[in-house]
Amino acid sequence: MDEKQLWKPGNMLYPVPVVMVSCGDGKGKKNIVTVAWTGTVCSDPAMVSISLRPERYSYGIIRESGEFVINLTTKPLAFATDWCGVKSGRDVDKFAAMGLTAGQAETLACAPAIEESPVNLECRVREVLELGSHHMFLAEISGVRVSGKYMDKSGKFELNETELVCYSHGEYFVLGEKIGRFGYSVKK
């Protein structure tokens, strides 16, 4: 048996989705922040969370506007995803620098969507939990936009054909081999 070591408490919950969160103030200021600390919170109502450090440029925009868009990332968006995570919107227009299109979210007033992303989750902040190094924005999903490029002939959205990207311990990966389907372990 493998001998395990006890380490100090830390975040070793990997892999995680890596997303680009877009935000805006409705007066022309818009930004993209890369977030790996995001997740599903509730299915009814549909809710998600993102966690940001208060010193991040996007933090103030989201806190003030009360909205943001989670844009799923894909292999073609991997470079922009990383770049938007290491550059600050205080210094550069990330949409322009990465050649990304800021589209109008359908259910939000201020936050733009990234048109190149196959899925845009339009979110309204319900609560901000000030937890320590990061504050968690709990948000209700007010709309989901999906790319018609990934719709099959029967109208099913083929999300797993989009080459989704995840983040694990400092590295990015494209999701790969399917090994089963929900419930396969008990199916006869």
Side-chain angles (χ1 to χ4, degrees):
M1 182 169 291
D2 180 26
E3 185 177 329
K4 300 231 173 153
Q5 299 175 10
L6 179 62
W7 290 359
K8 68 177 184 164
N11 294 316
M12 288 292 286
L13 180 61
Y14 291 115
V16 293
V18 60
V19 298
M20 290 190 286
V21 173
S22 50
C23 57
D25 66 359
K27 300 174 214 149
K29 186 190 306 181
K30 62 186 183 308
N31 195 42
I32 302 167
V33 60
T34 299
V35 176
W37 293 4
T38 184
T40 298
V41 175
C42 187
S43 57
D44 187 16
M47 293 181 68
V48 292
S49 69
I50 62 170
S51 293
L52 295 175
R53 289 181 181 272
E55 56 270 12
R56 295 296 297 257
Y57 181 64
S58 292
Y59 177 91
I61 297 171
I62 294 170
R63 190 91 194 221
E64 183 179 316
S65 71
E67 58 184 52
F68 58 89
V69 178
I70 293 177
N71 304 276
L72 298 191
T73 58
T74 60
K75 187 175 181 180
L77 290 171
F79 182 87
T81 300
D82 183 66
W83 195 89
C84 288
V86 296
K87 297 291 185 176
S88 175
R90 287 182 185 94
D91 305 322
V92 64
D93 177 342
K94 295 180 188 182
F95 281 97
M98 288 291 101
L100 297 172
T101 308
Q104 179 64 48
E106 293 188 35
T107 65
L108 304 175
C110 302
I114 298 173
E115 291 299 321
E116 291 77 8
S117 171
V119 178
N120 314 111
L121 304 174
E122 300 179 4
C123 304
R124 287 197 178 93
V125 176
R126 287 194 59 203
E127 188 176 349
V128 181
L129 301 174
E130 298 182 7
L131 301 172
S133 64
H134 290 68
H135 294 182
M136 179 185 286
F137 290 85
L138 290 173
E140 190 165 337
I141 299 172
S142 57
V144 178
R145 296 174 60 228
V146 299
S147 171
K149 177 180 175 181
Y150 298 100
M151 300 298 271
D152 72 11
K153 291 176 183 171
S154 69
K156 179 184 179 215
F157 183 63
E158 295 290 350
L159 178 63
N160 294 327
E161 301 299 317
T162 66
E163 298 184 294
L164 292 171
V165 172
C166 67
Y167 180 81
S168 182
H169 205 61
E171 299 177 309
Y172 301 100
F173 295 88
V174 175
L175 296 184
E177 178 187 1
K178 180 171 101 174
I179 61 167
R181 178 176 205 88
F182 179 75
Y184 83 100
S185 64
V186 297
K187 194 169 186 164
K188 295 183 185 209

